[in-house]
Amino acid sequence: MSTRPEPLYPLFSDLRSLSGIGPKLAALFPALNVHYPKDLLFTLPQSGIERRSVATVRDVATAEIICVEIEVMRHVPSRVKSRPYRVVVQDSELSFELVFFHARGDYLERILPVGARRIVSGKVEYFDNLVQIAHPDYILPVSEKETMKSFEPIYPLTAGVTQKTMQKAVRSALERVPDLPEWIDKAQKSQAEWPDWKNALALAHDPNSWSDLGTENRARQRLAYDEFFAHQMTLSLARLNLRRAKGHVNQGNNALRSKILEGLSFKPTGAQMRSVQDIEADMAAPHRMNRLLQGDVGSGKTLVAFLALLIAVESGGQGVLMAPTEILARQHMESLDALAVAAGVRLELLTGRDTGATRRVKLEALASGQVDILLGTHAVFQKDVEFADLRLAVVDEQHRFGVRQRLELGRKGGAVDVLVMTATPIPRSLALSHYGDMDVSILDEKPAGRKPITTAIVPSERLEHVIENLQKAVQDGRQAYWVCPLVEESEVLDYTSAEDRFKSLRAVLEEGVVELVHGQMPPAEKDAAMAKFERGECKVLVATTVIEVGVNVPNATIMIIERAEIFGLAQLHQLRGRVGRGEAASTCLLLYQAPLSKSGQRRLEIMRETEDGFKIAETDLEMRGAGDLIGTAQSGLPLFRIANVETMASLMAKAQSDARALLTRDPELTTERGRAVRTLLWLMEQEKAIRLISVG
Ligand code: ADP
Ligand code: MG
């Protein structure tokens, strides 16, 4: 099925084919993200109007919307333009007025002839203690009373599209909904008591009460599930495709790993060992590994990565570890060097700074297999970088690379196993929607002996006091990071603020005690400053957010963040994670400039309350919404019209396991249900996924 199934044609036709929509209106709908009739089906009412049926308007509260039977008594046309046209009517107990501004009398006389009985509906208001209804929503003959709904859906609108137009367009779209074969597992559907797709649409657009508009409503649940399921089918198909691609069987013999595990000064956490086992099993399997290693800052991802790289070497091949920044690549080199020596493997570092002859020599060593493990930045994936036998690519802190680069990497690696590491705790729901194509290992255990970090929120007026305390701490031999803010995302200003702080701190602290690192510095200077800090020669490192990810100096126990209120939660968490890595207790000071915005205050408070990266990420998600958390542009997050990623996490999880289970049984989607799922994918415009089936 490489073209859209015929039953879907009417749902993908021109909007103008719907009743009541001409060219002018059709041009307005895209503002609502409505391009085809099917988009209208998935645009559910966001609110409702309840019309209480009453015998009389007596004692009805002001602003209540009611529906009442009346007799028309007399018309009182307006004598001056600014005054309304009034129609006096009588219900079972009370006489009141219907009021019309800028009215056409002949029209009103026709629909409200004196002596006739009518059903009117609208909002009750009091004017000089008299009841009136201005511009009733409905005026109907008594015989049509049943056609008026006691609960009316209210749709999202855009300029030029009225509620009535919208309702009419949706009704017209609903009329052409075909019966489609069921794509949801029968047992799942009956257990959840979900309606059929067609019926679900009808119900969702015809709410009878407020609770029908809630997320617990069965019709809405089903439609939300459809969206998640289609998305998870796409991710699962991508995953299946990757797994189908032939990979090496990388069977380690433990020879190298056992050497370094014996020599470690600490015991790996259970989570670290479990993750290594996951990786080992993946690498030994004949398909390609595509695994995400998620672990909060300081959870010890580097060791896991290194053990994985050793598996590649044990099985006779090479491995590569890519870091997002030069500093991190160098740091990996330094921290892994001793381990590599212990294991007897050859490490090499390749970054953008290697040029000319140095670079050539390194590339030759790599291509001839004299290098076992290559560390580096993006430079390791340049065209002319050739490996003798690459088996595993590890991407560290992948958050910075984005989803698209990950796909790119998969393509480049050929049959290479891929391990992606992220330090950004991602709420489960988001992890599912972003990494649903990957298998996930989580480092949810902190290495033993970590001391909690004391976090304080400090107004910038207390800066002098902070500096005094810093002086004392430095005299006691402690080390501190001082992070300066990114000012308006301008690198120049960014640089200036760090430079200024560097100068002012240098003036009060002892000579040679303060160093500066920022993105604009010549690389050699940057390295020198970092190295001095790592060796403990310099005590205070003034930095921009270049130290945000990965930097590991266990002796540093103080983190000071200036203008903390303008940082995002994820960033603050990353920065704070630079301390609390050693034996001594650590402190984090969040300096802010008053006045704090509500959200700024909330962010700082949650930082003070918890160190749990997942909790912080959940709060972040709540405060910002899913799109923002990863950056909408690069998030690749699909537009869910009905489903809510934030509140329906368990539904998403269900959709993922269902999608994977279906593909296990029916990888080509050829069974009856499989074919129904194809239709769903077309309906949800996930036809890219369908292409994966035909390619695979
Ligand atoms: P991250 O997950 O943030 O990349 P790292 O891999 O940099 O964390 O590890 C942080 C520090 O913890 C390093 O100094 C590392 O040697 C140390 N470490 C790793 N695993 C353990 C462990 N199981 N017990 C104690 N220390 C550990
Ligand atoms: Mg790390």
Side-chain angles (χ1 to χ4, degrees), residues 394-409:
V394 182
V395 181
D396 192 8
E397 316 291 3
Q398 91 77 228
H399 194 87
R400 293 244 169 139
F401 290 103
V403 176
R404 214 158 290 144
Q405 279 106 325
R406 183 174 88 227
L407 295 175
E408 204 58 42
L409 176 74

Side-chain angles (χ1 to χ4, degrees), residues 1 3-5 8 12 38 42 180-181 183 226-238 659 662-663 667-669 673-694:
M1 195 196 293
T3 54
R4 181 179 294 140
L8 297 183
F12 282 86
K38 62 112 189 153
F42 299 138
L180 295 177
W183 46 76
D226 287 347
E227 283 189 312
F228 281 156
F229 185 54
H231 176 57
Q232 287 297 337
M233 278 305 303
T234 300
L235 292 174
S236 300
L237 280 164
L662 173 64
L663 283 180
E668 302 286 332
L669 296 183
R673 183 168 166 228
R675 288 198 307 274
V677 168
R678 287 176 183 238
T679 303
L680 170 70
L681 292 173
W682 277 105
L683 178 66
M684 297 294 183
E685 295 184 85
Q686 303 276 325
E687 51 260 38
K688 274 199 209 88
I690 291 172
R691 235 166 278 140
L692 286 176
I693 312 173
S694 27

Side-chain angles (χ1 to χ4, degrees), residues 298 300-302 328 331-332 396-397 421 423 549-551 578 581:
K301 291 183 291 297
T302 316
L328 283 177
Q331 193 180 287
H332 279 315
D396 192 8
E397 316 291 3
M421 305 199 291
V549 285
V551 172
R578 298 309 108 211
R581 294 174 162 245

Side-chain angles (χ1 to χ4, degrees), residues 474 477-481 512-514 533 536-541 555:
V474 165
R478 297 177 68 185
Q479 283 184 282
Y481 295 98
V513 156
V514 191
F533 189 66
E537 286 164 31
C538 121
K539 303 294 181 196
V540 179
L541 188 68
N555 194 47

Side-chain angles (χ1 to χ4, degrees), residues 450-468:
R450 290 274 155 82
K451 301 256 164 42
I453 304 168
T454 310
T455 299
I457 305 175
V458 183
S460 55
E461 293 97 73
R462 307 206 14 109
L463 187 69
E464 263 177 53
H465 183 70
V466 169
I467 293 177
E468 273 168 35

